[in-house]
Structure formats: structure tokens, C-alpha cells
Amino acid sequence: MKTGFVGWRGMVGSVLMDRMQQERDFDLLEPTFFTTSQVGQAGPDLGAGSTPLLDAYSLDDLAHLDVILTAQGGDYTKNVYSALRDRGWKGFWIDAASALRMREDAVLVLDPVNGARIEEAIAGGARTFCGANCTVSLMLMALGGLFEAGQVEWLSSMTYQAASGAGAAQLRELVAQTVALADAVGEDWNDPEVSVLELERRVTAALRDEAFPHESFGAPLAASLLAYIDSAMPGGQTREEWKGMAETNKILGQDPPVPVDGICVRVGALRCHSQAFTIKLRDPLPLDEVEQRIASANDWVRVVENTRDATFSELTPTAVSGTLSVPIGRIRKLAMGDHYLGAFSVGDQLLWGAAEPLRRVLRTILAS
Ligand code: HSE
């Protein structure tokens, strides 16, 4: 199939390209690479030579394609998608952005969780596929087994979201903030004559200094946190929090919807989102059954023993970054009673949270 790639050089796009090369996805399709800014420059060479980049805004060039996969962002989608469909284009549109997610004709893709629904949708004529919000996808990769068993009466997810989820500029800014903090103390961190409270004062003063790099986030993140992600929604929720319930239930095709809510918080992790779950179970399942259902749901979720050692070595952004593994640990019954379960999971926001479901739905489409 003639497949066009837009936004393949950005952060999500680069992770996607790497994964597609690792899995030899390009052997199965005929790629064309597009650009919004460098028309005519040489495209990537995937082994068969490179061809010039085409204009991502040229509806004529896009209309020849069987599949378009974009990680260019929501503004691009809003600019091009409807215009292309209005011209009668009937190809497959695969999108990392949120712009089309809530359209009735758009399918949210996370095949380890809703693979059968995706295949049914393709057979039924669906042509628009969107990756879901990264926090939602990572939550469902971790807890799919409990949803599948119909055991989740409601779920609260308190998140610890990485800088990468906010964008490439923000991830770079987190690194810049870390460097600025190092500069604020210099070698004094190791001088026993400088008290630890003096070090803390210097770091805090640096964080509060207007010159501290914070343009992209709007506030310091390093050595701090930001308890507001995305824009305001009615009722005091943020849009990130709103997506939790809306997208979870859309992915699962769940009606009536399972209530999902929580507070979404940005922390100084690089590319792994973590989440602390409070789950009300429908039945007071024993813990070993809970763990067995969670662990058997897909090939990537991994139950981590509820010990300090296992938590430190397996359940951190440091351990998980750059991997497809979705560990979930700290699984225990909460003090509220036998129906209440606590758990904590970590997942790479650029892999299962963004690129991986897209390359996998592309494979499903190619095989259909
Ligand atoms: N909205 C997410 C975040 C990005 O801000 O972390 C992935 O959907």
C-alpha cells in the first residue's frame, strides 16, 4: 500500500520510525515522506535510496495515497483532514493527535486491549484511526485484565506525567532547568562547609528567579511539579483529566461508561508516565486472582512484587524508559475495604503511549 508519513521527524515520529525499522514494517509498504517546511529536500534512506520530500499540504499528492500516518500534530490534522475527505479521499488516516479522537467515525487504537474492535471496524469500513491519550493507553495496558473481567466499578488515576508528554520543547526545557540548577550550586554541593540548607536556599532561589528557563512549561518543573496539564474543562477538570473517562470508555466500547477520574500532575520524569490507581472492584477478588488477571491480559504488562527492592529496580521511569514493558506493582487491598485496590504502574509515553499503537494498526490495515 502507498503510505505517506507526515511528522516523522518530530519526537513521536522519530520513535515511530525507529520502531518501524526495528520491526521491518517498511518491507510491507511503499513509503512516501512529506514535510511541512522542507519540500524538495532529500527524504530518509531506508535502504532503497532517498526521494525528495513532498509537500504535506498538497492535497493532490496526499490523495494518491492508500494510507496517511501523521504525527505532525493537531493543527496539521485540522488543516488537512476534512479538506482531503471532502475531495472524496477514502484512504486510511492514522493519527497521533487528539483532534479527531472523539469523532463518531474515528476508532481509538490500542490493539492489545481492543484489537478485535479494530479489526471489526476495518471490516466495517472505518478509515480513521487515532492513537489515544498516552495516560489512558498506559493505564489500559496495565489494567486491561480487570476491565476485560468487568471488575472495574470505578477508577481513580493520580498521574505523574513525564516532560515528553508536553512536547519536545518541554523535554528540552526540563534538561535546561536541571543544568541551571547544577550551575546554581556549582561544586559547593560537595563542600561540607556549605550547609545543606544553604544548598536548598540556592536551588530555591534559582527556581524563583525570572531568568530560570521556564518559557515552554510556564513554570519550573525540575525539583518541583505542576498539578495542571492542558486546558480547563467545565467542573474544574483539566482536559487531560477529562480524557481519562472519555477515551477509556471509547477504547473499550463501554456503555454505560465506567467512571474514571483523578488529578493529572507533571513531574520531572523524562519520557515515562506513572500512575497511582485506586480501583473499586465489583467483587472482592482475592489478590492472587487480581494479579493473575492483570498479568495475563497482554504480552507487555508485568506484575512487580510489592517489595522495596522490586519496586526500586523494576517500577521506575529509570527502569522502563525506552522499553515496551508496562510494569504494575504496589498491588494491595486498601484500608477502605476488600473491594478497594491500590496499584502503581509506569510506562514509556512515547512507545505504548504514542508510537506503538500506530505502527501496529498500520500493520493490521496492511494485512486486511
Ligand atoms: N497529553 C499527554 C501529556 C501526552 O501531556 O502528557 C500524551 O497523550
Side-chain angles (χ1 to χ4, degrees):
M1 279 194 182
K2 293 205 241 5
T3 305
F5 293 90
V6 187
W8 51 277
R9 244 186 308 216
M11 187 169 52
V12 171
S14 305
V15 171
L16 178 75
M17 290 296 111
D18 282 352
R19 283 291 298 138
M20 289 189 64
Q21 283 179 278
Q22 280 166 17
E23 299 293 339
R24 306 194 67 88
D25 295 341
F26 287 108
D27 294 356
L28 308 174
L29 53 86
E30 197 186 310
T32 308
F33 293 92
F34 288 80
T35 176
T36 55
S37 56
Q38 294 173 322
V39 178
Q41 290 196 3
D45 183 355
L46 302 171
S50 114
T51 51
L53 298 173
L54 298 186
D55 181 0
Y57 291 107
S58 162
L59 299 183
D60 287 338
D61 287 338
L62 294 170
H64 293 300
L65 299 165
D66 302 305
V67 184
I68 296 169
L69 197 166
T70 168
Q72 180 69 33
D75 288 343
Y76 173 76
T77 298
K78 286 179 198 150
N79 206 304
V80 166
Y81 177 82
S82 296
L84 196 57
R85 289 288 191 222
D86 287 348
R87 282 174 55 136
W89 183 72
K90 299 214 163 32
F92 293 92
W93 179 276
I94 305 175
D95 204 324
S98 64
L100 305 175
R101 280 184 201 150
M102 284 298 141
R103 284 173 64 107
E104 210 167 313
D105 59 356
V107 180
L108 296 192
V109 294
L110 186 64
D111 66 278
V113 173
N114 70 346
R117 289 171 57 79
I118 294 170
E119 286 184 27
E120 259 169 47
I122 293 172
R127 291 295 177 266
T128 302
F129 300 86
C130 303
N133 171 265
C134 44
T135 318
V136 171
S137 296
L138 293 169
M139 180 274 283
L140 284 172
M141 288 300 290
L143 293 176
L146 294 181
F147 279 97
E148 202 180 304
Q151 279 297 335
V152 182
E153 188 174 323
W154 55 253
L155 165 77
S156 169
S157 166
M158 299 295 188
T159 72
Y160 305 74
Q161 295 185 219
S164 62
Q170 283 82 350
L171 179 51
R172 187 179 291 277
E173 188 168 87
L174 174 61
V175 176
Q177 292 183 352
T178 310
V179 171
L181 292 182
D183 290 346
V185 292
E187 291 300 313
D188 287 352
W189 66 269
N190 199 26
D191 181 349
E193 296 298 310
V194 181
S195 79
V196 73
L197 287 177
E198 171 58 18
L199 291 178
E200 178 277 320
R201 271 192 291 273
R202 281 196 217 165
V203 168
T204 301
L207 290 168
R208 289 176 179 163
D209 188 332
E210 257 312 295
F212 191 73
H214 68 280
E215 198 188 335
S216 298
F217 275 116
L221 180 66
S224 189
L225 57 79
L226 299 167
Y228 206 102
I229 297 181
D230 209 337
S231 52
M233 292 290 281
Q237 271 183 325
T238 65
R239 182 168 293 277
E240 186 76 358
E241 290 153 6
W242 172 84
K243 287 174 180 173
M245 180 157 168
E247 294 192 18
T248 297
N249 286 287
K250 179 158 182 173
I251 291 170
L252 296 171
Q254 187 85 34
D255 192 21
V258 173
V260 178
D261 208 346
I263 309 272
C264 291
V265 180
R266 187 79 64 200
V267 297
L270 297 166
R271 56 183 281 180
C272 279
H273 284 0
S274 305
Q275 310 184 49
F277 303 119
T278 300
I279 302 155
K280 169 95 189 284
L281 296 171
R282 287 208 181 275
D283 301 313
L285 302 181
L287 270 190
D288 55 355
E289 184 179 340
V290 166
E291 293 189 355
Q292 188 272 328
R293 285 191 183 277
I294 287 175
S296 59
N298 62 60
D299 291 342
W300 297 274
V301 63
R302 201 158 37 80
V303 170
V304 174
E305 203 187 341
N306 186 10
T307 62
R308 184 179 191 271
D309 281 356
T311 302
F312 280 17
S313 64
E314 297 171 51
L315 195 59
T316 62
T318 305
V320 175
S321 270
T323 77
L324 287 161
S325 176
V326 183
I328 174 166
R330 301 305 328 280
I331 300 174
R332 64 185 181 86
K333 291 295 179 77
L334 298 175
M336 297 82 171
D338 232 13
H339 284 83
Y340 296 87
L341 189 73
F344 190 88
S345 88
V346 182
D348 189 305
Q349 158 317 290
L350 294 172
L351 286 166
W352 275 119
E356 197 64 10
L358 302 182
R359 63 158 287 274
R360 291 171 65 90
V361 76
L362 174 57
R363 279 242 174 191
T364 308
I365 288 168
L366 295 172
S368 67

